[in-house]
Amino acid sequence: SQKIEQNSEALNIQEGKTATLTCNYTNYSPAYLQWYRQDPGRGPVFLLLIRENEKEKRKERLKVTFDTTLKQSLFHITASQPADSATYLCAPSGYSSASKIIFGSGTRLSIRP
Amino acid sequence: EAGVAQSPRYKIIEKRQSVAFWCNPISGHATLYWYQQILGQGPKLLIQFQNNGVVDDSQLPKDRFSAERLKGVDSTLKIQPAKLEDSAVYLCASSGAQANNEKLFFGSGTQLSVL
């Protein structure tokens, strides 16, 4: 069955450093991969979408890579700030509406001043 | 632009009782999703609607859960009877796309506690 794995341990890094989060998937060949941010008590908020034919996507301080050979996506936050502290979820999906958008368990990121 | 509205925000019930959640998606969004999120886990898809038709309900426990989306707009999710393991946040999301290359907009969720 399809399986999505994200860093199960919380990630704690110093402000100003680059945070790197990992999303690995198995038994799956997604056409798209989305990343969301979730704050406590709130629903997830969309950040970025990357397509299988795109190696890299950037938005301000965010960068996402998609390696279909390794079956992995990396999510980077450069010049991290305490306000970036949240849980980050990856969500692969296929081409059609019949392909479910499945979420990983998320990685909790804490940026210390 | 108004976001996805959900109510109630919190609900506490005893096991074997019934409960209903309501969702109003973003205007014009054809696709509506209900997800269940247990503490410490990612959202798990329960049911996906395209307009008022069901696209996927393979993970919906149909012996106790039901959902409908009349007229292709608002949706309700019902649990009857509730079990202790149903304690979770129930998230509603919508998107304007028929393919899965568009972002989902989530509501704030309904936090259900079953005692």
Side-chain angles (χ1 to χ4, degrees), chain B residues 55-104:
Chain B
V55 174
D56 188 298
D57 63 356
S58 57
Q59 295 196 88
L60 187 75
K62 298 180 185 65
D63 58 334
R64 298 185 300 107
F65 286 63
S66 64
E68 60 182 9
R69 190 183 185 198
L70 299 176
K71 301 180 182 178
V73 182
D74 292 9
S75 178
T76 55
L77 177 69
K78 296 179 182 177
I79 308 175
Q80 182 179 11
K83 292 185 175 181
L84 296 177
E85 59 261 36
D86 298 331
S87 294
V89 175
Y90 290 84
L91 294 163
C92 178
S94 70
S95 89
Q98 295 192 19
N100 287 330
N101 61 347
E102 289 291 331
K103 58 187 175 183
L104 303 187

Side-chain angles (χ1 to χ4, degrees), chain A residues 92-103:
Chain A
S93 64
Y95 285 102
S96 72
S97 61
S99 173
K100 294 181 285 194
I101 298 177
I102 303 171
F103 284 83

Side-chain angles (χ1 to χ4, degrees), chain B:
Chain B
E1 177 182 80
V4 176
Q6 287 190 250
S7 67
R9 188 75 175 88
Y10 304 94
K11 191 73 177 179
I12 300 174
I13 61 172
E14 294 188 351
K15 60 183 179 183
R16 291 188 289 275
Q17 286 188 321
S18 62
V19 64
F21 313 125
W22 174 81
C23 173
N24 182 241
I26 291 173
S27 178
H29 277 191
T31 309
L32 185 146
Y33 311 78
W34 282 102
Y35 284 88
Q36 178 194 58
Q37 188 171 28
I38 293 171
L39 189 64
Q41 298 182 18
K44 170 189 168 186
L45 180 67
L46 293 176
I47 190 167
Q48 177 181 341
F49 291 96
Q50 184 73 36
N51 296 308
N52 59 350
V54 175
V55 174
D56 188 298
D57 63 356
S58 57
Q59 295 196 88
L60 187 75
K62 298 180 185 65
D63 58 334
R64 298 185 300 107
F65 286 63
S66 64
E68 60 182 9
R69 190 183 185 198
L70 299 176
K71 301 180 182 178
V73 182
D74 292 9
S75 178
T76 55
L77 177 69
K78 296 179 182 177
I79 308 175
Q80 182 179 11
K83 292 185 175 181
L84 296 177
E85 59 261 36
D86 298 331
S87 294
V89 175
Y90 290 84
L91 294 163
C92 178
S94 70
S95 89
Q98 295 192 19
N100 287 330
N101 61 347
E102 289 291 331
K103 58 187 175 183
L104 303 187
F105 293 84
F106 282 86
S108 293
T110 296
Q111 184 170 328
L112 174 67
S113 296
V114 182
L115 306 178

